[in-house]
Amino acid sequence: MRRALLAITGLAASTTVMVVLKGSPGATGVAQDLPAERPPVVPAPAGPAPTGGDASAAPAPTGSTASPRPGRTATRAPSSRPSATTRAPSAPRTSSKPPPAPTTRTVTGPVVENEYGNVQVQITLSGNRIVNVVALELPEETAQSDQRSEQVDGRYSGSSGLVVQQQSADVDTVSGATATSNSYKQSLQAAIDRAN
């Protein structure tokens, strides 16, 4: 009879606690957070407490296992932040081929006449750069005009002449050979204009 009375009292107390928890504000969130796999709480046997001996030696209630708190061992949701091992996408690989070599071409200027004869100039370009200049025609009628032509040709023509150094027809006039110099520069400027 005593055991039955204790069982009824325990049942009434647990029912009261459940009603209070369900009715109190904010308690529903707590009740819903409990894991579904947690075993039900079994009340301790209603019999007398064991005598003579350690209270710590009392056997644990059967069927109840300690369950960790839900928030402590639950795995965390994956973070939206990139992890340390995430690497940024690498830049696309570029070809190791060298850029194509600029095309080499020759452009010939017109024949320009002067009082000593004809002058005609041809330029060689690599891309847009003048790399060589050749006088195709220079006055040679007299020894004096031939000498002037050699001075102009030596000064302006070739891969290391003034025209290649200046990259234009804007070069100084050769002293004593003004007519040949001017005709040379006119044919040269026309060739540069044609090249562009």
Side-chain angles (χ1 to χ4, degrees), residues 2-195:
R2 189 174 182 183
R3 284 185 183 176
L5 185 61
L6 284 174
I8 291 171
T9 306
L11 182 61
S14 64
T15 304
T16 304
V17 169
M18 287 174 70
V19 168
V20 170
L21 283 178
K22 281 190 175 185
S24 66
T28 56
V30 173
Q32 290 175 353
D33 286 345
L34 292 176
E37 67 273 2
R38 188 169 184 174
V41 177
V42 178
T51 58
D54 251 351
S56 62
T62 57
S64 68
T65 57
S67 172
R69 288 178 154 176
R72 301 278 181 184
T73 58
T75 56
R76 292 184 179 188
S79 174
S80 61
R81 291 181 291 165
S83 66
T85 58
T86 304
R87 291 187 179 151
S90 60
R93 292 186 180 200
T94 56
S95 174
S96 60
K97 292 180 184 177
T103 56
T104 302
R105 57 197 170 108
T106 57
V107 181
T108 304
V111 174
V112 179
E113 294 180 33
N114 66 39
E115 57 195 87
Y116 301 104
N118 296 332
V119 177
Q120 187 177 27
V121 178
Q122 183 181 64
I123 60 173
T124 303
L125 297 108
S126 178
N128 289 330
R129 184 168 177 73
I130 302 169
V131 293
N132 194 19
V133 183
V134 176
L136 299 177
E137 221 178 310
L138 288 170
E140 298 177 353
E141 290 183 12
T142 64
Q144 190 176 13
S145 60
D146 187 40
Q147 183 182 3
R148 290 179 184 147
S149 295
E150 284 180 13
Q151 289 175 343
V152 170
D153 193 36
R155 203 76 187 272
Y156 297 156
S157 299
S159 58
S160 60
L162 283 177
V163 175
V164 172
Q165 291 174 18
Q166 298 290 331
Q167 291 294 303
S168 76
D170 187 21
V171 289
D172 293 334
T173 302
V174 176
S175 179
T178 305
T180 304
S181 295
N182 288 339
S183 297
Y184 189 105
K185 290 193 276 185
Q186 285 177 1
S187 182
L188 173 64
Q189 186 60 57
I192 291 171
D193 292 343
R194 287 177 185 174

